Structure formats: structure tokens, C-alpha cells
Amino acid sequence: MDFITFQSSLTGSQPPKECTQVVQALWYDAKGDWEKAHEIAQSREGTREYDRLHAYLHRKEGDQWNAGYWYRRARAEMPAYSLEKEWEELVKGWL
């Protein structure tokens, strides 16, 4: 699946089954279901991709302290650019 196809899937009612859980979490996030996305992030804490997802979600939530904690756990820096760009980079990187 490519990014354009993934974006098109946002008109549907379910995330694409062929996507990984972290990409499905970003689908839920884009659909406004932060809680479902966060539940996925918590399901495999200690796994770098899930910790990175967790960081993004707390940054989006506005909890900068908690986001910083998760970025450090994921060995990543908190981006200085928009959440929209971060979301797109994560999707493209995990597709």
C-alpha cells in the first residue's frame, strides 16, 4: 500500500487490514479516535515503533512532558515541525 491509497482509506469505516497495527493506529488518529490509537500504542510498550507512536500521540494531546518521555524511550527527537507533517512521515515510514 502506498501513502495515497492509505489516505484514501480514511473515507472508510475500518483501517486497511493489510496495514500493521502502528499504521492502523495512525488511521484511527486521523479519524479522530485518539483513544483507540493510544490503546494500540500501549499494547506493546518497550517496542521502538510503538513507543514512537506513543510519543506522537502525547505530543498531539498537548502533553509535552509525557511526549518527551516517549520520544526519549523511542530514541527519537521531538520534531519542531507540525503534527500533520509528523503524522505523514510516520505513515510513510511504516507503510
Side-chain angles (χ1 to χ4, degrees):
M1 174 172 291
D2 63 18
F3 182 72
I4 301 297
T5 305
F6 180 77
Q7 277 189 308
S8 296
S9 77
L10 293 171
T11 61
S13 60
Q14 293 294 315
K17 292 187 187 310
E18 65 269 22
C19 290
T20 64
Q21 277 196 310
V22 291
V23 174
Q24 288 181 11
L26 292 168
W27 185 93
Y28 283 112
D29 172 61
K31 296 284 280 187
D33 194 345
W34 186 94
E35 290 297 329
K36 178 66 175 172
H38 189 249
E39 180 182 305
I40 293 169
Q42 289 179 310
S43 72
R44 294 193 54 202
E45 286 182 9
T47 304
R48 192 172 187 179
E49 285 183 340
Y50 286 75
D51 289 352
R52 180 65 181 81
L53 169 64
H54 212 156
Y56 159 79
L57 290 169
H58 282 294
R59 178 176 175 233
K60 183 171 186 178
E61 178 188 37
D63 186 347
Q64 298 303 303
W65 183 89
N66 204 3
Y69 169 79
W70 288 104
Y71 281 108
R72 286 188 298 279
R73 280 194 59 161
R75 297 184 303 278
E77 291 199 27
M78 188 181 305
Y81 45 81
S82 73
L83 287 163
E84 293 80 10
K85 182 176 179 183
E86 183 179 11
W87 181 89
E88 183 175 330
E89 286 183 353
L90 290 172
V91 171
K92 286 179 176 177
W94 290 335
L95 277 177

